[in-house]
Amino acid sequence: MQSNFRIYQLFILLILTFSCQEEKNNNNNNNNDNDVPEDTPVKGKIHIFSESSFKPAILPEKNTFEGIYTNAKIDISFTSERSAIDSFLRGKTEMIVVGRPLNDKELSPFKAKGIKVIQDIMAKDAIAFVLNKNFPDSLLSLNQLRDILSGKVKNWRDISPSFPLGKIVIAADQSNSGNLFFLKDSLGLDIKNIEIFSADSVAGVIDYVKGHSNAMGIIGVSWLSDADNIDSNDYYKQIKVAGLYEDDKEKFSLPFQGNIADGSYPLKRNIYLIYSGARTGLRTGFASFILGDRGQKIILKTGIVPAKMPGRDIEFKYE
């Protein structure tokens, strides 16, 4: 009887010991889960937001990065500039790609919480104005452009008798496109009362301009600039790209890579990579890749201008 009681005591002791050890292990696991970040610079999953104009620039970066670091997954939502910035401000994402830096008012909540916001220039591109393939002249002065975008001039014939009849229709991918806000700030315009045909996408803008002789489309030039991209080549064949000039028509400039780089094309802009620096993670790894030599070579290939010129690899052969 006493032997059975001792066996029973030993059994209870083993159960208690096992339970305590399991609880300790669970606590350790919970602590480890809290200590280990959800992602690392080369592993994990993030969701970023990008202004749709910059899709041809950011998508090759994502695809190349994921190809190198197979444990990394980057989801991108392409949207308007305002929507991307709002998503960042509301904490829906920790990284955005937009055409302007955040202003002091937008940065103030982060400063109040002691959170560092990093705003890097990843590239330079430009606004391109596209016209119907049969448009008689593809050169516009900046003053003519101001008159059109401000609503002062509403018909093409008011600019030149050789231009087509009819009302000027301005087409953009979205009515609240960052392209329009950039033009507003750059040209000092009030665009609140301007009628914009919202084509929902850059492809929609191209299609609309292709089918309407009186239309002028506004797009980011990266959609046209990559000579190796089938879509870019196809778009370019369907429309005319307007050249811009100040006063002398002979000194017009097209939104080509060299003209953006040397500043001769007037409506160029920076592309900003904005992200939270609260901790190191996949977004900081992705940012380092984009701003590094390999990422900047990708930018160069797309036909826009990298923030810093990547190095060239030269092989010397000795005999």
Side-chain angles (χ1 to χ4, degrees), residues 280-298:
T280 300
L282 186 55
R283 71 192 180 288
T284 56
F286 187 43
S288 295
F289 175 82
I290 293 172
L291 300 171
D293 202 61
R294 184 175 292 185
Q296 292 294 284
K297 284 180 179 178
I298 293 171

Side-chain angles (χ1 to χ4, degrees), residues 51-68:
E51 212 274 339
S52 56
S53 285
F54 307 132
K55 184 176 181 178
I58 193 65
L59 199 57
E61 301 281 7
K62 160 195 152 64
N63 293 338
T64 304
F65 186 85
E66 289 180 337
I68 297 170

Side-chain angles (χ1 to χ4, degrees), residues 140-143 146 244-248 251 266:
L140 293 170
S141 73
L142 288 181
N143 285 332
R146 287 188 184 95
L244 303 182
Y245 62 94
E246 286 277 3
D247 301 309
D248 187 351
K251 296 181 179 179

Side-chain angles (χ1 to χ4, degrees), residues 12-57:
I12 295 297
L13 182 62
L14 287 172
I15 291 176
L16 291 173
T17 302
F18 178 78
S19 298
C20 291
Q21 184 63 39
E22 185 176 23
E23 183 177 356
K24 182 179 179 181
N25 289 338
N26 288 336
N27 288 335
N28 287 338
N29 288 336
N30 289 335
N31 289 335
N32 289 338
D33 288 342
N34 292 331
D35 293 339
V36 177
E38 294 180 1
D39 55 13
T40 73
V42 295
K43 184 174 69 174
K45 183 177 181 179
I46 56 171
H47 184 190
I48 72 176
F49 284 69
S50 172
E51 212 274 339
S52 56
S53 285
F54 307 132
K55 184 176 181 178

